[in-house]
């Protein structure tokens, strides 16, 4: 059984495309193409389920048409509409210089000054020029600037980000 902490969200399935089972995948991270993945993980009725890809082709920078194995009709494809799409951390490219915003969801922020864990990143708000980590700090939401000047280290294996947190921010 695939656990939520083993994967991270990379997109969502849109409506079917055509009558042969293709679906629109609206993605925020093209990791499935960079590592030549065989499958994606979909959240179906609250359960993470692997779906093997027969083929895919890009329609733009954030959309691809995907055909999954055993999904060969428009009706079967329609059943996947709205499913969130995830990718396994263990298959992702592990270059710390090339981590996507989606890949760091779930990482813990550690304050360099106190060595205390502040909380887990639940979201990355990149809607403005100043990107922010949305952090769940013991059921309190904190916004921490995702500035390169504040980040001192990233440990993919332990899923932590070391930061110099400005005084008074927490």
């Amino acid at each position: 059984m695939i656990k939520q902490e083993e994967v991270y969200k990379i997109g969502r399935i849109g409506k079917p495309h055509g009558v042969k089972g293709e679906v629109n995948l609206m993605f925020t991270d093209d990791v499935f193409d960079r590592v030549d993945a065989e499958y994606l993980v979909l959240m179906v009725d609250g359960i993470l389920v692997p779906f093997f890809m027969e083929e895919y082709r890009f329609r733009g920078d954030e959309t691809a048409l995907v055909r999954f194995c055993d999904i060969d009709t428009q009706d079967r494809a329609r059943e996947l509409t709205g499913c969130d799409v995830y990718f396994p951390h263990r298959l992702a490219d592990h270059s710390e210089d090339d981590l996507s915003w989606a890949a760091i969801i779930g990482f813990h922020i550690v304050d360099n000054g106190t060595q205390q864990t502040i909380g887990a990143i639940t979201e990355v708000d990149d809607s403005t020029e100043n990107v922010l980590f949305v952090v769940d700090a013991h059921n309190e939401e904190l916004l921490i600037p995702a500035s390169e000047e504040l980040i001192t280290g990233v440990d993919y294996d332990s899923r932590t980000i070391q930061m110099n947190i400005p005084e008074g921010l927490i």
Side-chain angles (χ1 to χ4, degrees):
M1 187 165 151
I2 300 171
K3 297 178 181 159
Q4 186 73 43
E5 58 270 7
E6 296 173 346
V7 295
Y8 66 97
K9 186 176 175 183
I10 63 165
R12 185 175 199 85
I13 299 293
K15 63 183 181 175
H17 178 80
V19 295
K20 296 191 178 186
E22 278 188 315
V23 294
N24 281 289
L25 167 61
M26 296 156 298
F27 58 87
T28 56
D29 188 339
D30 66 351
V31 66
F32 62 94
D33 186 52
R34 292 193 314 266
V35 301
D36 200 23
E38 294 181 2
Y39 67 93
L40 297 173
V41 179
L42 277 60
M43 180 69 78
V44 180
D45 295 329
I47 300 170
L48 292 167
V49 180
F51 280 79
F52 287 84
M53 296 183 287
E54 280 186 20
E55 64 180 349
Y56 63 88
R57 64 186 189 277
F58 290 98
R59 290 189 71 185
D61 291 342
E62 298 175 348
T63 307
L65 294 176
V66 180
R67 184 186 328 255
F68 293 111
C69 295
D70 300 325
I71 305 295
D72 54 5
T73 67
Q74 186 177 26
D75 289 337
R76 297 277 321 266
R78 190 174 292 116
E79 293 172 8
L80 302 178
T81 299
C83 288
D84 288 333
V85 180
Y86 296 85
F87 197 77
H89 284 289
R90 65 181 180 78
L91 298 179
D93 38 2
H94 290 280
S95 169
E96 293 171 2
D97 296 330
D98 195 30
L99 284 174
S100 69
W101 290 131
I104 64 169
I105 302 297
F107 275 51
H108 287 83
I109 301 290
V110 177
D111 182 14
N112 277 337
T114 63
Q115 291 303 309
Q116 296 292 318
T117 300
I118 305 304
I121 299 172
T122 58
E123 182 182 340
V124 177
D125 181 353
D126 62 351
S127 62
T128 64
E129 188 174 328
N130 297 318
V131 178
L132 299 170
F133 293 138
V134 180
V135 178
D136 178 9
H138 313 293
N139 296 323
E140 180 183 348
E141 185 177 274
L142 295 177
L143 299 175
I144 298 176
S147 167
E148 286 185 30
E149 293 89 34
L150 300 177
I151 298 172
T152 59
V154 177
D155 186 339
Y156 194 89
D157 293 329
S158 69
R159 300 178 45 77
T160 59
I161 298 176
Q162 292 282 126
M163 294 186 74
N164 288 325
I165 308 287
E167 195 171 318
L169 189 62
I170 298 175

